[in-house]
Short mmCIF file of all heavy atoms in Angstrom, two decimals:
data_model
loop_
_atom_site.label_atom_id
_atom_site.label_comp_id
_atom_site.label_asym_id
_atom_site.label_seq_id
_atom_site.Cartn_x
_atom_site.Cartn_y
_atom_site.Cartn_z
N GLN A 143 18.93 -9.45 -20.99
CA GLN A 143 18.13 -9.00 -19.93
C GLN A 143 16.63 -9.01 -20.32
O GLN A 143 16.32 -8.59 -21.40
CB GLN A 143 18.48 -7.59 -19.42
CG GLN A 143 17.75 -7.18 -18.21
CD GLN A 143 18.19 -5.84 -17.70
OE1 GLN A 143 19.29 -5.34 -18.07
NE2 GLN A 143 17.44 -5.21 -16.84
N VAL A 144 15.83 -9.60 -19.47
CA VAL A 144 14.37 -9.67 -19.80
C VAL A 144 13.75 -8.25 -19.79
O VAL A 144 14.03 -7.44 -18.88
CB VAL A 144 13.68 -10.51 -18.73
CG1 VAL A 144 12.21 -10.46 -18.94
CG2 VAL A 144 14.20 -11.99 -18.85
N VAL A 166 6.78 -10.25 -23.16
CA VAL A 166 8.13 -10.47 -22.57
C VAL A 166 9.10 -10.66 -23.74
O VAL A 166 8.83 -11.43 -24.62
CB VAL A 166 8.18 -11.65 -21.63
CG1 VAL A 166 9.54 -11.90 -21.10
CG2 VAL A 166 7.15 -11.44 -20.51
N GLY A 168 13.56 -11.04 -24.59
CA GLY A 168 14.90 -11.29 -23.99
C GLY A 168 14.87 -12.53 -23.10
O GLY A 168 15.91 -12.79 -22.41
N GLY A 169 13.82 -13.30 -23.07
CA GLY A 169 13.74 -14.48 -22.29
C GLY A 169 12.36 -15.12 -22.45
O GLY A 169 11.40 -14.48 -22.80
N SER A 170 12.28 -16.44 -22.15
CA SER A 170 11.02 -17.16 -22.32
C SER A 170 10.26 -17.23 -21.06
O SER A 170 10.80 -17.44 -19.96
CB SER A 170 11.32 -18.53 -22.85
OG SER A 170 10.16 -19.37 -22.85
N ILE A 171 8.91 -17.07 -21.14
CA ILE A 171 8.15 -17.15 -19.91
C ILE A 171 8.01 -18.60 -19.44
O ILE A 171 7.56 -18.86 -18.33
CB ILE A 171 6.70 -16.59 -20.09
CG1 ILE A 171 5.91 -17.41 -21.18
CG2 ILE A 171 6.72 -15.10 -20.51
CD1 ILE A 171 4.47 -17.00 -21.35
N THR A 172 8.53 -19.55 -20.25
CA THR A 172 8.50 -20.95 -19.81
C THR A 172 9.85 -21.37 -19.28
O THR A 172 10.02 -22.64 -18.98
CB THR A 172 8.06 -21.88 -20.93
OG1 THR A 172 8.98 -21.77 -22.00
CG2 THR A 172 6.67 -21.54 -21.43
N THR A 173 10.83 -20.51 -19.16
CA THR A 173 12.08 -20.85 -18.53
C THR A 173 11.86 -21.39 -17.18
O THR A 173 11.15 -20.78 -16.35
CB THR A 173 13.03 -19.65 -18.48
OG1 THR A 173 13.31 -19.15 -19.82
CG2 THR A 173 14.34 -19.96 -17.85
N SER A 174 12.51 -22.52 -16.87
CA SER A 174 12.29 -23.20 -15.60
C SER A 174 12.50 -22.20 -14.41
O SER A 174 13.48 -21.53 -14.37
CB SER A 174 13.20 -24.38 -15.47
OG SER A 174 12.84 -25.39 -16.36
N TYR A 175 11.50 -22.31 -13.50
CA TYR A 175 11.53 -21.62 -12.24
C TYR A 175 11.26 -20.10 -12.37
O TYR A 175 11.29 -19.41 -11.37
CB TYR A 175 12.76 -21.91 -11.42
CG TYR A 175 12.96 -23.40 -11.28
CD1 TYR A 175 14.03 -24.05 -11.93
CD2 TYR A 175 12.03 -24.17 -10.58
CE1 TYR A 175 14.22 -25.44 -11.75
CE2 TYR A 175 12.17 -25.56 -10.51
CZ TYR A 175 13.27 -26.18 -11.09
OH TYR A 175 13.42 -27.52 -10.98
N TYR A 176 11.03 -19.57 -13.59
CA TYR A 176 10.68 -18.17 -13.71
C TYR A 176 9.14 -18.07 -13.39
O TYR A 176 8.38 -18.98 -13.59
CB TYR A 176 10.90 -17.68 -15.14
CG TYR A 176 12.32 -17.20 -15.35
CD1 TYR A 176 13.36 -17.66 -14.60
CD2 TYR A 176 12.55 -16.24 -16.37
CE1 TYR A 176 14.67 -17.17 -14.84
CE2 TYR A 176 13.90 -15.83 -16.59
CZ TYR A 176 14.87 -16.31 -15.86
OH TYR A 176 16.18 -15.84 -16.11
N ALA A 177 8.80 -16.84 -12.91
CA ALA A 177 7.42 -16.56 -12.54
C ALA A 177 7.13 -15.13 -12.94
O ALA A 177 8.01 -14.26 -12.94
CB ALA A 177 7.09 -16.81 -11.09
N TRP A 178 5.85 -14.84 -13.18
CA TRP A 178 5.47 -13.56 -13.80
C TRP A 178 4.29 -12.97 -13.10
O TRP A 178 3.24 -13.63 -13.07
CB TRP A 178 5.25 -13.74 -15.27
CG TRP A 178 6.35 -14.47 -15.98
CD1 TRP A 178 6.48 -15.85 -16.11
CD2 TRP A 178 7.57 -13.88 -16.45
NE1 TRP A 178 7.69 -16.15 -16.73
CE2 TRP A 178 8.37 -14.96 -16.92
CE3 TRP A 178 8.03 -12.61 -16.55
CZ2 TRP A 178 9.63 -14.76 -17.53
CZ3 TRP A 178 9.32 -12.43 -17.11
CH2 TRP A 178 10.05 -13.48 -17.60
N SER A 179 4.41 -11.79 -12.50
CA SER A 179 3.41 -11.20 -11.67
C SER A 179 2.74 -10.00 -12.30
O SER A 179 3.35 -9.27 -13.09
CB SER A 179 4.04 -10.83 -10.34
OG SER A 179 4.03 -11.90 -9.40
N VAL A 194 0.27 -14.17 -9.77
CA VAL A 194 1.44 -14.64 -10.51
C VAL A 194 1.11 -15.88 -11.32
O VAL A 194 0.21 -16.67 -10.96
CB VAL A 194 2.57 -14.92 -9.52
CG1 VAL A 194 2.23 -16.13 -8.61
CG2 VAL A 194 3.87 -15.27 -10.28
N ILE A 195 1.80 -16.05 -12.52
CA ILE A 195 1.71 -17.28 -13.27
C ILE A 195 3.15 -17.78 -13.39
O ILE A 195 4.11 -17.04 -13.63
CB ILE A 195 1.04 -17.09 -14.60
CG1 ILE A 195 0.88 -18.41 -15.28
CG2 ILE A 195 1.79 -16.08 -15.51
CD1 ILE A 195 -0.09 -18.41 -16.46
N THR A 196 3.38 -19.07 -13.07
CA THR A 196 4.70 -19.57 -13.09
C THR A 196 5.10 -20.19 -14.42
O THR A 196 4.23 -20.26 -15.35
CB THR A 196 4.89 -20.68 -12.03
OG1 THR A 196 4.07 -21.80 -12.36
CG2 THR A 196 4.42 -20.14 -10.64
N TYR A 197 6.33 -20.67 -14.54
CA TYR A 197 6.89 -21.14 -15.82
C TYR A 197 6.04 -22.32 -16.33
O TYR A 197 5.98 -22.62 -17.50
CB TYR A 197 8.32 -21.54 -15.60
CG TYR A 197 8.49 -22.76 -14.75
CD1 TYR A 197 8.71 -24.01 -15.30
CD2 TYR A 197 8.45 -22.69 -13.33
CE1 TYR A 197 8.88 -25.14 -14.49
CE2 TYR A 197 8.61 -23.75 -12.56
CZ TYR A 197 8.82 -25.08 -13.15
OH TYR A 197 8.92 -26.15 -12.38
N ASP A 198 5.44 -23.09 -15.40
CA ASP A 198 4.67 -24.26 -15.81
C ASP A 198 3.19 -23.99 -15.85
O ASP A 198 2.34 -24.91 -15.99
CB ASP A 198 4.95 -25.45 -14.88
CG ASP A 198 4.55 -25.17 -13.43
OD1 ASP A 198 4.09 -24.03 -13.17
OD2 ASP A 198 4.64 -26.10 -12.61
N GLY A 199 2.74 -22.76 -15.76
CA GLY A 199 1.36 -22.38 -15.89
C GLY A 199 0.56 -22.33 -14.62
O GLY A 199 -0.65 -22.04 -14.62
N SER A 200 1.20 -22.63 -13.47
CA SER A 200 0.49 -22.55 -12.18
C SER A 200 0.19 -21.09 -11.86
O SER A 200 1.00 -20.19 -12.17
CB SER A 200 1.34 -23.18 -11.10
OG SER A 200 1.57 -24.54 -11.35
N ARG A 215 -1.68 -17.24 -20.00
CA ARG A 215 -0.55 -16.99 -20.81
C ARG A 215 -0.74 -17.54 -22.23
O ARG A 215 -1.56 -18.43 -22.45
CB ARG A 215 0.69 -17.63 -20.11
CG ARG A 215 0.62 -19.20 -20.10
CD ARG A 215 1.84 -19.76 -19.49
NE ARG A 215 1.83 -21.23 -19.54
CZ ARG A 215 2.84 -22.04 -19.26
NH1 ARG A 215 3.99 -21.49 -18.82
NH2 ARG A 215 2.70 -23.31 -19.32
N ALA A 240 5.81 -7.84 -13.99
CA ALA A 240 7.14 -7.97 -13.51
C ALA A 240 7.54 -9.43 -13.45
O ALA A 240 6.68 -10.33 -13.29
CB ALA A 240 7.33 -7.31 -12.15
N ARG A 241 8.83 -9.67 -13.48
CA ARG A 241 9.31 -11.04 -13.22
C ARG A 241 9.45 -11.18 -11.74
O ARG A 241 10.13 -10.42 -11.05
CB ARG A 241 10.65 -11.26 -13.89
CG ARG A 241 11.12 -12.75 -13.75
CD ARG A 241 12.23 -13.08 -14.66
NE ARG A 241 13.54 -12.71 -14.09
CZ ARG A 241 14.19 -13.40 -13.16
NH1 ARG A 241 13.66 -14.53 -12.70
NH2 ARG A 241 15.36 -13.02 -12.72
N ASP A 242 8.73 -12.22 -11.21
CA ASP A 242 8.68 -12.50 -9.80
C ASP A 242 9.83 -13.43 -9.46
O ASP A 242 9.94 -14.50 -10.08
CB ASP A 242 7.38 -13.12 -9.46
CG ASP A 242 7.00 -13.04 -7.93
OD1 ASP A 242 7.87 -13.49 -7.18
OD2 ASP A 242 5.96 -12.58 -7.59
N GLN A 243 10.66 -13.07 -8.49
CA GLN A 243 11.80 -13.89 -8.13
C GLN A 243 11.49 -14.83 -6.97
O GLN A 243 12.37 -15.45 -6.39
CB GLN A 243 13.00 -12.98 -7.75
CG GLN A 243 13.43 -12.20 -9.00
CD GLN A 243 14.68 -11.35 -8.71
OE1 GLN A 243 14.79 -10.74 -7.64
NE2 GLN A 243 15.59 -11.31 -9.67
N GLY A 244 10.20 -15.02 -6.71
CA GLY A 244 9.80 -15.97 -5.67
C GLY A 244 9.81 -17.36 -6.19
O GLY A 244 10.13 -17.67 -7.33
N SER A 245 9.51 -18.30 -5.29
CA SER A 245 9.46 -19.73 -5.62
C SER A 245 8.57 -20.47 -4.66
O SER A 245 8.18 -19.86 -3.63
CB SER A 245 10.89 -20.35 -5.68
OG SER A 245 11.44 -20.27 -4.36
N TYR A 249 5.42 -15.85 -3.38
CA TYR A 249 5.46 -14.90 -4.45
C TYR A 249 4.95 -13.55 -4.02
O TYR A 249 4.41 -13.38 -2.95
CB TYR A 249 4.63 -15.38 -5.66
CG TYR A 249 5.12 -16.66 -6.30
CD1 TYR A 249 4.49 -17.90 -6.04
CD2 TYR A 249 6.26 -16.62 -7.08
CE1 TYR A 249 4.99 -19.06 -6.59
CE2 TYR A 249 6.77 -17.80 -7.64
CZ TYR A 249 6.07 -19.03 -7.40
OH TYR A 249 6.59 -20.15 -7.94
N SER A 255 12.92 -7.71 -13.26
CA SER A 255 12.55 -6.72 -14.29
C SER A 255 11.09 -6.33 -14.16
O SER A 255 10.22 -7.15 -13.88
CB SER A 255 12.87 -7.29 -15.66
OG SER A 255 14.22 -7.69 -15.81
#
Side-chain angles (χ1 to χ4, degrees):
Q143 183 176 346
V144 172
V166 178
S170 172
I171 63 172
T172 61
T173 298
S174 290
Y175 307 113
Y176 275 26
W178 310 91
S179 275
V194 65
I195 187 164
T196 67
Y197 69 99
D198 63 355
S200 299
R215 65 179 184 170
R241 187 168 82 80
D242 196 308
Q243 296 185 318
S245 63
Y249 296 106
S255 301

